[in-house]
Amino acid sequence: MPSFCLHCNNQEYIIFQYMKKRNVALPDWDLSDLYSSIDDPKIDAALATALKRAGMFEKNYRGKIDDKSDSKQILKAVTEYERILVESNKPGCYAYLEYSVDSVNPRNAALLQKTKKKSIEINQRILFFELALINLSEQKLKHLISDPELKNYKHFLQKILKQKPHRLTEAEEKIFNDKYLTSGSALNRLFDEELAEQKYEFKKKGKIVLLNESEILDYLHSPDGQERKLAAQSFTKGIKSISRRLTFVTNMLAEDKSISDKYFKYTRPEDSRHLDNETTKETVDTMINVVVKNYSLVQEYYQLKKKILKLKNIYDYDRYAPLSVSKKKYDYSEAKDIILDAFESFSPKFAHLANDFFEKKWIHAKPEKNKRSGAYCMYVSPELHPYVFLNYNYSIDDIETLAHELGHGVHASLARKQTYLNFDWPLTVAETASVFGEMILFDHLKEKLPDRERFSLLLRRIESTFATVFRQTAMFLFERDLHEARKNGEMTSETISALWRKRQAEMFGRSVALTPDYDLWWSYIPHFKHTPFYVYAYAFGELLSLSLYAKYKKEGKSFVSKYITLLKNGGLKSPDDLLEPFKIKLSDPEFWMGGVEIIRSLVVEAEKIYSSRLH
């Protein structure tokens, strides 16, 4: 709950007018390709149809999938199974899109809960099928994997084979699915609604305004040090007012995961994520170790930033202080032109697909009072199209965020030739296209901006890369610590905060002074709740993208067709197979070090430019 009620506070008018001025030219999305409204009867009809098909599927195939089944029977069953997944997915996607824009609206929350419940009911009817495939003999599964008739589903069957040790009986898995609505799903919903409803007081031009999360955090990019400090204090005050509930949610989700891991036979808390990402602990640890060994690069950079800003100390709220006094704001139309021009320089196909998002209203960019923070791209299904969600506040950082999400969108658009079971790819590969989009934008802007702004852009690129590689690595290690500590019982907010501070301090060393307020900033990060151990995929994807981008700069246009093929393949192949044309070995420490060296070259370039200005 918020620290005060907007409906009972005369500051409501101030925030409404403040946001109204800023939102005039920002787009809402058009979801009519999905449904006309949350009251559209087609939503219930689609769920009913999917449930009916699931019942027929169960009648036709339960008890009939075994080692004697031939490839034609398996192909027919998988195709029908895939069709049911497509039909049942659409209502849930629509409900989440509406909920994201106004997560306080009880009707949106009710629709989201209803679609989740119906989706689980449908999945319960067809759950037997994957388990039947898993219970095939290893010899039979390998035979099906190599059968040309099932070529389109080869990777799907390979994943089934890898899941064998981690699946339960049908009755046991049904219990877990049913309980999810009132355990993990309910806790995540509580977390989302708490933060969406929370408002933060901030003094602007002599008036107190109430800001949402994305707006208050935007002030951490202010050129005014006092504004940054006050914004950080306001944000801490806000999350502290709900910290008891946020701590409770964190504890319960960690325990919930521990219970699931025990029954699904995962040794470590992150093992299920590695399986989903089709990677190994050894590969991830190799990457993490390389990044940690280069924390000194972070410290070196912030020492440089301290000199540039002429500050005695850099505090946690100064990390994103702009290095240019420019207060330029970018209209949404400018952001569109900049991104499309950048994408065009890489590939006209990229620009064309990205333009569809603007022209066909597939983007929600307008901040709203009850809109959730952050940004994402919703893929939906190959038969439809993706949607992009963000909070646009007119800064160049927002342009980078938009380019990032459009990278995801272009990836999904290119992969629409795949069928639904191949229209999903591991997080480690998913971040590749988004980071690549950022790099294309960065190079494009470097050529267009004057020297002073170009230097500022370089520093922002470094900071963005640090946030993606080094910060996410520290966050991954924090998650490991958190789940390990939870084994000893429920944790206090102070205990979790100490774990957070330890890992952040390791990364920053003495280059950034961490205030006591910063200790609580773990509590608002959604990844720890919604998708445990997701965060290392950002570092993985960033370093992989830097390597691929270096190959693009070296090979030029001959690289483009290979890269587009990679994206078109979607989830048709494993990450290792997708990357085979690029001769990349993810298990090699030197590969990851190559990505870090590219980051180092950016820092060295910044230091040289700064030194040249002193002489």
Side-chain angles (χ1 to χ4, degrees):
M1 295 294 291
S3 54
F4 45 81
C5 178
L6 276 176
H7 297 292
C8 301
N9 195 301
N10 60 16
Q11 291 171 334
E12 181 181 13
Y13 176 77
I14 296 173
I15 185 173
F16 176 76
Q17 292 299 322
Y18 171 70
M19 294 177 69
K20 185 178 177 183
K21 289 178 184 178
R22 298 185 69 183
N23 292 343
V24 169
L26 293 177
D28 196 347
W29 49 25
D30 179 3
L31 302 182
S32 60
D33 286 346
L34 296 171
Y35 299 103
S36 61
S37 72
I38 62 173
D39 298 314
D40 192 335
K42 291 180 181 178
I43 297 173
D44 285 338
L47 291 168
T49 299
L51 183 60
K52 183 178 179 180
R53 290 189 74 154
M56 290 299 298
F57 181 81
E58 183 179 25
K59 181 180 178 181
N60 291 336
Y61 293 104
R62 179 178 284 280
K64 298 175 184 177
I65 303 296
D66 54 33
D67 279 8
K68 296 178 182 178
S69 302
D70 61 27
S71 57
K72 288 185 179 180
Q73 183 185 9
I74 298 293
L75 177 61
K76 185 178 179 182
V78 172
T79 304
E80 176 62 17
Y81 172 75
E82 191 173 43
R83 184 72 248 154
I84 295 166
L85 292 177
V86 170
E87 289 179 351
S88 64
N89 184 57
K90 182 179 171 183
C93 288
Y94 174 77
Y96 189 77
L97 292 168
E98 291 283 16
Y99 177 77
S100 295
V101 174
D102 186 358
S103 56
V104 175
N105 185 332
R107 297 183 71 229
N108 288 345
L111 178 63
L112 182 63
Q113 185 73 355
K114 180 173 76 172
T115 57
K116 284 182 178 180
K117 185 176 180 180
K118 283 293 183 183
S119 180
I120 287 176
E121 186 179 352
I122 292 163
N123 286 331
Q124 298 287 55
R125 301 297 295 270
I126 60 177
L127 174 62
F128 77 90
F129 179 63
E130 277 199 16
L131 293 175
L133 292 175
I134 280 170
N135 287 325
L136 295 175
S137 67
E138 188 169 329
Q139 182 181 0
K140 177 66 176 180
L141 270 173
K142 288 181 177 178
H143 173 74
L144 293 174
I145 287 168
S146 62
D147 194 317
E149 189 110 33
L150 290 162
K151 181 181 179 182
N152 184 59
Y153 299 105
K154 177 180 179 179
H155 187 215
F156 168 69
L157 293 169
Q158 287 173 330
K159 290 190 288 185
I160 289 287
L161 182 59
K162 290 179 181 178
Q163 291 171 5
K164 254 183 174 292
H166 303 289
R167 297 299 292 266
L168 308 179
T169 66
E170 183 179 351
E172 290 168 335
E173 292 210 7
K174 280 185 174 181
I175 292 171
F176 272 94
N177 289 342
D178 281 339
K179 289 290 289 179
Y180 178 67
L181 278 176
T182 54
S183 56
S185 177
L187 289 164
N188 278 315
R189 175 179 162 187
L190 173 62
F191 171 79
D192 288 343
E193 291 181 6
E194 286 285 339
L195 287 174
E197 205 167 341
Q198 184 64 35
K199 297 296 179 284
Y200 307 89
E201 293 186 25
F202 191 74
K203 194 170 185 179
K204 185 175 177 65
K205 296 181 180 178
K207 293 182 179 179
I208 298 294
V209 295
L210 303 179
L211 306 180
N212 64 23
E213 181 182 304
S214 65
E215 290 173 322
I216 191 70
L217 292 179
D218 192 48
Y219 277 99
L220 296 180
H221 299 263
S222 169
D224 185 330
Q226 187 64 14
E227 270 194 343
R228 295 194 299 271
K229 182 178 180 179
L230 292 174
Q233 290 174 344
S234 173
F235 184 66
T236 301
K237 181 181 178 182
I239 57 176
K240 191 172 185 178
S241 71
I242 55 173
S243 64
R244 185 173 65 85
R245 290 184 290 280
L246 297 182
T247 301
F248 171 77
V249 167
T250 301
N251 270 291
M252 292 304 102
L253 285 172
E255 180 64 13
D256 186 66
K257 186 177 191 331
S258 176
I259 292 169
S260 295
D261 286 346
K262 178 177 70 174
Y263 285 102
F264 285 93
K265 300 181 181 68
Y266 290 111
T267 306
R268 291 168 291 269
E270 68 263 34
D271 283 353
S272 59
R273 180 64 60 201
H274 295 338
L275 184 63
D276 286 345
N277 284 342
E278 298 182 72
T279 188
T280 64
K281 179 181 184 297
E282 291 70 29
T283 295
V284 174
D285 284 351
T286 297
M287 178 198 71
I288 295 295
N289 290 337
V290 167
V291 174
V292 170
K293 286 178 182 177
N294 287 276
Y295 273 172
S296 59
L297 193 55
V298 176
Q299 297 156 23
E300 181 182 338
Y301 170 75
Y302 280 106
Q303 292 293 352
L304 171 65
K305 184 165 186 174
K306 183 163 63 176
K307 294 176 186 176
I308 296 171
L309 292 174
K310 298 178 180 178
L311 294 174
K312 184 178 180 180
N313 291 302
I314 283 189
Y315 293 94
D316 47 82
Y317 50 77
D318 294 320
R319 287 169 299 140
Y320 303 118
L323 292 138
S324 168
V325 294
S326 171
K327 295 185 179 181
K328 179 173 174 55
K329 296 292 184 182
Y330 293 84
D331 288 340
Y332 188 72
S333 59
E334 287 182 89
K336 171 186 173 181
D337 291 341
I338 289 169
I339 290 171
L340 293 182
D341 285 349
F343 282 18
E344 179 78 27
S345 68
F346 174 71
S347 163
K349 182 75 171 176
F350 253 59
H352 172 74
L353 291 172
N355 189 50
D356 282 345
F357 286 80
F358 294 102
E359 297 300 319
K360 298 179 181 180
K361 298 185 71 176
W362 298 345
I363 302 173
H364 196 293
K366 180 170 59 174
E368 305 274 10
K369 282 192 291 185
N370 298 322
K371 186 177 178 181
R372 60 157 280 187
S373 63
Y376 65 79
C377 178
M378 174 75 78
Y379 297 163
V380 189
S381 76
E383 298 172 7
L384 291 162
H385 56 78
Y387 292 89
V388 162
F389 172 98
L390 77 155
N391 292 272
Y392 190 81
N393 288 303
Y394 303 95
S395 73
I396 197 161
D397 295 313
D398 295 315
I399 298 178
E400 291 173 355
T401 299
L402 184 53
H404 178 102
E405 297 306 333
L406 285 171
H408 283 305
V410 169
H411 190 174
S413 297
L414 285 167
R416 285 176 65 186
K417 70 169 188 174
Q418 301 296 337
T419 58
Y420 187 76
L421 287 173
N422 293 326
F423 194 64
D424 183 31
W425 35 94
L427 300 174
T428 46
V429 176
E431 292 303 327
T432 303
S434 54
V435 175
F436 206 89
E438 289 183 44
M439 292 301 297
I440 295 169
L441 176 69
F442 172 66
D443 268 1
H444 177 74
L445 288 173
K446 269 176 61 175
E447 296 176 3
K448 303 291 183 183
L449 296 175
D451 287 348
R452 183 178 179 83
E453 290 188 40
R454 187 159 57 245
F455 181 52
S456 180
L457 177 73
L458 171 63
L459 298 177
R460 273 199 306 273
R461 179 70 248 168
I462 292 170
E463 290 177 9
S464 174
T465 304
F466 279 3
T468 307
V469 175
F470 295 102
R471 184 169 184 263
Q472 302 299 333
T473 294
M475 286 165 64
F476 169 71
L477 294 172
F478 160 74
E479 272 195 281
R480 272 187 173 171
D481 294 343
L482 184 148
H483 285 273
E484 183 63 29
R486 184 63 179 84
K487 293 177 183 178
N488 299 320
E490 193 162 328
M491 300 169 289
T492 64
S493 177
E494 291 75 17
T495 298
I496 302 174
S497 294
L499 297 175
W500 170 259
R501 187 179 188 87
K502 174 191 170 187
R503 291 301 186 180
Q504 294 294 305
E506 284 176 355
M507 176 178 62
F508 289 119
R510 296 182 178 180
S511 65
V512 174
L514 301 178
T515 63
D517 278 359
Y518 186 64
D519 292 359
L520 196 58
W521 283 35
W522 56 268
S523 61
Y524 82 97
I525 298 171
H527 301 77
F528 300 150
K529 282 76 174 174
H530 288 284
T531 47
F533 297 99
Y534 181 112
V535 292
Y536 78 75
Y538 285 117
F540 198 115
E542 179 87 17
L543 293 174
L544 175 57
S545 292
L546 289 173
S547 175
L548 288 171
Y549 200 75
K551 287 180 179 291
Y552 161 59
K553 299 297 285 184
K554 183 178 180 180
E555 298 175 17
K557 291 299 179 182
S558 64
F559 172 91
V560 175
S561 61
K562 286 193 295 183
Y563 186 70
I564 288 179
T565 298
L566 164 70
L567 302 185
K568 281 183 176 179
N569 280 332
L572 184 65
K573 302 177 182 179
S574 70
D576 285 339
D577 289 340
L578 287 170
L579 295 169
E580 195 279 330
F582 302 97
K583 308 302 179 187
I584 287 173
K585 292 183 179 179
L586 298 174
S587 59
D588 185 358
E590 290 303 312
F591 163 73
W592 300 110
M593 193 62 207
V596 171
E597 287 301 328
I598 294 171
I599 302 172
R600 187 182 304 280
S601 70
L602 296 176
V603 175
V604 169
E605 181 183 354
E607 289 174 332
K608 286 181 178 178
I609 293 173
Y610 175 70
S611 296
S612 68
R613 289 182 172 185
L614 295 178
H615 298 94

